[in-house]
Amino acid sequence: MKVNGTHQLLAYADDVNIVGGSIHILKENAEALVAATKQTGLEVKAEKTKCMVMSRDQNAGRNHSVRIDNSTFERVEEFKYVGTTLTNQNSIPEEIKSRLRLGNACYNSVQNLLSSRLLSKNLKINIYRTIILPFVLYGCDTWSLTLREERKLRVFENMVLRRIFGPRRDEVTGEWKRLHNVERNDLYSTPKIVRVIKSRRMRWAGHVVRMGKEMGCIGSWWGNRRERERWGDLGVDGWIILGWISRR
């Protein structure tokens, strides 16, 4: 099937996403998809097909509709594609909120295990990293975090770690007291959630840059390298990727 433009068709199983820089290109590619599906005996369901315009201008595309074979596709402000929430404003905070809700639901289902005295701390940490954390970090490679989002993610992780490590008994007074975040972080030696996100984001940036111009990608640079304090927690791999990108 031939489409107008470069890499305008994204398909995963029966979820097909058509991307276009304008309504005209989108209609052409949608018509090509409908024609191709008819040749194989398949059919595009208009009631299950949605259309969304992503633009800073909230009124963009309001006067246009996608109509093919006497079927008009509904225009929406957000929809889920392969588990990720996409919005017409490309709002990352909304996706993070959705991920945190799923993470909280998963945490509530296993919190009895995290507070059990029969399980070791290492096993509880493995439960957190292999069961809970994937719900939160799904698709985080493309997230652009603000300080507010970073704080929300840290609050979530501290809540889980508070359940895992629990209170500590003072050796002098014998009283039980809650651990401070600094003490809890010393016990949790693995990379923190925000650092994991930044590391994955830099790894994804390396993959994109290595695609080259033949794949429709041009060299890019994130941030100002002079602001070293903003990149101090990227680790060695992050600095290698940044240096490699800057040489392109």
Side-chain angles (χ1 to χ4, degrees):
M1 186 185 74
K2 294 182 179 181
V3 295
N4 185 4
T6 304
H7 303 293
Q8 301 292 323
L9 183 64
L10 306 176
Y12 182 83
D14 59 344
D15 289 326
V16 180
N17 188 13
I18 301 176
V19 183
S22 66
I23 295 294
H24 176 70
I25 294 178
L26 182 65
K27 286 182 177 180
E28 286 187 354
N29 292 338
E31 290 172 353
L33 176 63
V34 171
T37 55
K38 287 183 177 180
Q39 293 177 1
T40 58
L42 300 177
E43 182 181 355
V44 177
K45 294 290 186 180
E47 61 272 14
K48 294 184 179 180
T49 305
K50 311 299 179 183
C51 173
M52 186 175 72
V53 177
M54 300 182 70
S55 173
R56 294 181 179 179
D57 183 6
Q58 296 184 0
N59 296 322
R62 287 191 178 276
N63 298 327
H64 298 84
S65 61
V66 179
R67 184 178 179 85
I68 299 173
D69 287 351
N70 298 324
S71 299
T72 302
F73 299 151
E74 177 188 0
R75 177 173 174 174
V76 296
E77 296 183 353
E78 67 174 44
F79 70 95
K80 276 190 174 291
Y81 179 70
V82 198
T84 300
T85 302
L86 304 176
T87 68
N88 59 349
Q89 298 295 310
N90 195 23
S91 176
I92 300 299
E94 292 300 321
E95 169 63 8
I96 294 178
K97 287 180 182 179
S98 175
R99 291 286 115 199
L100 287 175
R101 283 195 295 267
L102 293 174
N104 276 302
C106 183
Y107 163 75
N108 291 329
S109 66
V110 299
Q111 62 177 332
N112 291 335
L113 295 176
L114 299 181
S115 59
S116 173
R117 296 184 178 181
L118 301 177
L119 303 180
S120 65
K121 296 292 189 298
N122 289 336
L123 182 56
K124 294 177 182 179
I125 291 175
N126 287 335
I127 292 175
Y128 165 57
R129 294 186 61 83
T130 59
I131 298 179
I132 301 176
L133 207 54
F135 279 92
V136 181
L137 299 186
Y138 179 80
C140 70
D141 311 61
T142 58
W143 288 358
S144 178
L145 296 178
T146 63
L147 293 177
R148 178 177 297 179
E149 272 69 57
E150 288 186 7
R151 181 179 179 276
K152 291 180 180 179
L153 291 165
R154 289 192 180 100
V155 168
F156 172 79
E157 184 169 66
N158 287 333
M159 175 189 68
V160 179
L161 296 180
R162 193 179 304 118
R163 174 71 64 173
I164 292 176
F165 293 107
R168 171 179 288 183
R169 188 171 185 178
D170 192 288
E171 296 180 356
V172 179
T173 63
E175 296 179 353
W176 292 91
K177 65 174 184 177
R178 291 179 56 181
L179 295 176
H180 295 292
N181 290 339
V182 176
E183 298 175 308
R184 197 179 301 114
N185 291 336
D186 291 338
L187 296 175
Y188 184 65
S189 57
T190 54
K192 308 303 183 293
I193 186 170
V194 174
R195 182 174 180 180
V196 171
I197 293 174
K198 290 183 178 181
S199 176
R200 293 188 183 183
R201 190 170 59 182
M202 297 309 302
R203 182 177 60 184
W204 174 81
H207 291 323
V208 172
V209 173
R210 284 191 294 271
M211 291 168 62
K213 295 182 179 180
E214 66 276 3
M215 297 290 290
C217 174
I218 59 176
S220 58
W221 176 257
W222 288 4
N224 186 348
R225 193 171 184 178
R226 294 179 182 177
E227 302 175 4
R228 298 182 65 91
E229 66 276 4
R230 293 183 58 190
W231 304 92
D233 61 347
L234 291 177
V236 176
D237 294 339
W239 279 107
I240 291 175
I241 293 176
L242 281 175
W244 185 82
I245 295 176
S246 64
R247 291 195 298 271
R248 288 185 62 85

